Amino acid sequence: MDSKPLYEPFSPELLADPYPIYKKLRDEAPVSYHPKLDFWTLSRFADVMQALQKPRLYSSAQGIAVGMDTQMTNVFDAVITMDPPRHTQMRTLVNRAFTPRRIAELAPRVLEVATALIDDFIEKGSCDLVGDFAAPFPTIVIAELLGVPTEDQKMFKEKSNALVNQQRLPDEVPDPARMAPILELVQYLNKVFDERRKQPREDLISALLAAEVDGQKLTQSEVTGFALLLLIAGNETTTNLLGNGFQLMHEHPDQRARLAAAPAALPDAIEEFLRYESPVPGLARTLTEDVDYRGHAFRSGQKVMLLYGSANRDERQFEAPDVFDTSRKPTQHLAFGFGTHFCLGASLARLEARIGFEQVLAHMPEYTLLEGAERNAGGIRGFAQLPTAFKAGAGATE
Ligand code: HEM
């Protein structure tokens, strides 16, 4: 049978609205195969979860994308594409910097960054909630944690966008120009490393350069991979959590009014934003053994796509999953993954989101999204721009 696969990773329909496709997959082909690209797709919560609980069978070491140019995925020599035991050793090096307690200490500075950005546009009565706020906000925070000069954050955002939006099928003609921004970013980071080697500071880059695993310093490519991963994973995802939240609240003004009046409800609402519109719709693993899975012959070396965004809308797991309800009591969702590779930055993302939403709702509670909202071109679910109008000067900080 030569029917079209239900899950076509780069199709415009999927990028525009993946949820009807996800539902069809869950109902009709929960374990589905893509013959051309030779990978399986799991779309139900329970199936995705069992894979995340078996990191040795479902390996991350050969990349976590399907059909993506390997030249791109090789840029990351970092935890997200490592298996235990190396993964455990490397992750231990940075875990301490990201514990909920350490992250909570950042709150005053995160608040300063958020209010400074809002102050820059509040008198105008209009802004791009992504370009002027959701994008620069987490970039500044992570750049400061790493110890990269904040003046360069615009450049980081452009380069990290270039990397994240690099999705192309393996048989497309390679274009070396697309690698250029990433190579420039690597060169730039190498300069920062040289400076920190000479004069270490209290930042993550200095800590990574000094760190040892079994008496061995990390290689240059490991330090670069880690710094790049933190920059990119820390920016793109949080930007899109914020953008999705702004759009969802605009579409549900009653829920927005409730949150503006009672910001203490924001942490639960953020879990609903993450569940309902997961910024990372799915990531892949590679099978390390032949195995029969629910009657399907999975072969060693094949990729398996784990659709977090679909698992989070699975009616077998969540009641009325297509209803957006910020008063829902949060339950386990997979927007941050699960198990070995559970998002290192989850506490930071939650802190940034809480402060970001709180400040926007305090300063411009009745914002209106204008024509011209633009979805991301790549695989991260969210918006590239959200032109917005609001009452100028309302609640500007003194
Ligand atoms: C809303 C924001 C975020 C979302 C939705 C998100 C999502 C995810 C997901 C789904 C994974 C699992 C990867 C996998 O299953 O292979 C992950 C891992 C990771 N995230 Fe996040 N992330 C967010 C924010 C952040 C931030 C702020 C940082 C950095 C400071 C960060 C750093 C990482 C790292 C380093 C990993 C790899 C962990 C490992 O492999 O052990 N993330 N993230």
Side-chain angles (χ1 to χ4, degrees):
M1 198 174 65
D2 196 23
S3 61
K4 244 179 96 203
L6 272 180
Y7 181 71
E8 196 55 80
F10 310 105
S11 74
E13 297 79 26
L14 187 81
L15 292 181
D17 183 7
Y19 299 108
I21 300 171
Y22 289 166
K23 178 154 178 51
K24 213 166 156 49
L25 277 166
R26 288 193 304 273
D27 290 345
E28 296 171 22
V31 183
S32 100
Y33 181 65
H34 193 298
K36 188 166 170 223
L37 296 175
D38 188 26
F39 72 91
W40 297 90
T41 298
L42 301 180
S43 47
R44 289 186 184 168
F45 188 96
D47 290 322
V48 173
M49 190 59 145
Q50 66 77 36
L52 292 173
Q53 286 167 332
K54 295 184 202 128
R56 277 170 214 280
L57 176 60
Y58 292 87
S59 158
S60 292
Q62 283 114 77
I64 50 169
V66 286
M68 206 169 147
D69 177 5
T70 46
Q71 195 188 14
M72 296 308 311
T73 46
N74 288 348
V75 174
F76 295 109
D77 188 4
V79 278
I80 205 160
T81 49
M82 284 177 189
D83 289 339
R86 186 74 181 150
H87 170 270
T88 322
Q89 293 172 326
M90 293 291 282
R91 185 154 167 156
T92 309
L93 298 179
V94 287
N95 262 342
R96 250 176 308 146
F98 288 93
T99 57
R101 220 169 106 205
R102 285 292 291 276
I103 293 302
E105 291 167 11
L106 303 176
R109 177 63 193 141
V110 172
L111 176 62
E112 260 172 34
V113 174
T115 50
L117 287 167
I118 294 175
D119 282 352
D120 277 350
F121 58 69
I122 195 73
E123 295 301 336
K124 281 198 307 196
S126 67
C127 69
D128 168 6
L129 262 179
V130 173
D132 296 327
F133 185 74
F137 175 41
T139 314
I140 297 172
V141 174
I142 194 73
E144 287 188 5
L145 268 182
L146 278 166
V148 161
T150 353
E151 313 84 82
D152 298 326
Q153 52 102 351
K154 248 208 161 112
M155 186 267 290
F156 277 121
K157 195 73 197 176
E158 281 163 24
K159 312 276 186 237
S160 81
N161 275 343
L163 180 52
V164 169
N165 291 326
Q166 282 284 339
Q167 289 198 338
R168 71 179 170 80
L169 296 172
D171 53 2
E172 270 182 63
V173 183
D175 175 3
R178 297 171 83 166
M179 272 304 280
I182 292 107
L183 297 178
E184 281 160 30
L185 185 55
V186 171
Q187 273 170 6
Y188 173 83
L189 282 173
N190 286 340
K191 269 208 327 239
V192 180
F193 297 163
D194 289 343
E195 285 162 23
R196 291 297 179 282
R197 272 200 195 91
K198 281 187 223 130
Q199 267 189 320
R201 294 188 193 166
E202 288 288 309
D203 58 34
L204 267 177
I205 286 183
S206 305
L208 287 173
L209 289 167
E212 290 185 358
V213 174
D214 294 338
Q216 294 256 303
K217 286 239 155 84
L218 305 190
T219 63
Q220 178 90 350
S221 101
E222 283 169 337
V223 181
T224 311
F226 227 134
L228 275 182
L229 174 63
L230 290 172
L231 270 174
I232 290 157
N235 290 339
E236 298 297 330
T237 47
T238 314
T239 297
N240 290 299
L241 162 59
L242 288 163
N244 291 337
F246 293 138
Q247 198 258 356
L248 285 166
M249 287 192 287
H250 167 81
E251 278 183 357
H252 300 268
D254 50 330
Q255 298 197 46
R256 178 173 66 181
R258 184 182 73 91
L259 294 171
L266 272 169
D268 283 0
I270 288 164
E271 300 309 307
E272 178 68 350
F273 298 147
L274 284 163
R275 181 197 71 80
Y276 190 83
E277 283 282 20
S278 305
V280 180
L283 291 172
R285 299 291 190 260
T286 306
L287 290 158
T288 55
E289 278 173 40
D290 291 350
V291 58
D292 178 272
Y293 188 70
R294 297 182 49 189
H296 300 273
F298 282 13
R299 287 193 317 279
S300 176
Q302 283 180 323
K303 284 236 158 39
V304 183
M305 184 65 174
L306 309 177
L307 288 182
Y308 301 151
S310 171
N312 286 340
R313 295 280 194 113
D314 188 351
E315 34 294 279
R316 293 154 200 83
Q317 183 71 17
F318 301 95
E319 222 181 289
D322 291 331
V323 175
F324 170 70
D325 179 3
T326 48
S327 64
R328 193 188 280 269
K329 198 173 163 348
T331 49
Q332 168 83 63
H333 62 67
L334 297 179
F336 288 124
F338 180 84
T340 312
H341 293 277
F342 179 79
C343 178
L344 175 72
S347 295
L348 178 59
R350 286 174 168 137
L351 176 79
E352 290 173 333
R354 180 178 63 71
I355 292 177
F357 287 126
E358 203 175 85
Q359 290 307 308
V360 167
L361 289 176
H363 289 82
M364 37 198 280
E366 290 178 2
Y367 64 84
T368 309
L369 297 186
L370 306 172
E371 297 269 297
E374 204 182 285
R375 280 218 165 269
N376 291 331
I380 302 275
R381 179 108 183 126
F383 292 90
Q385 61 181 49
L386 282 177
T388 307
F390 52 89
K391 208 166 138 230
T397 46
E398 279 87 55

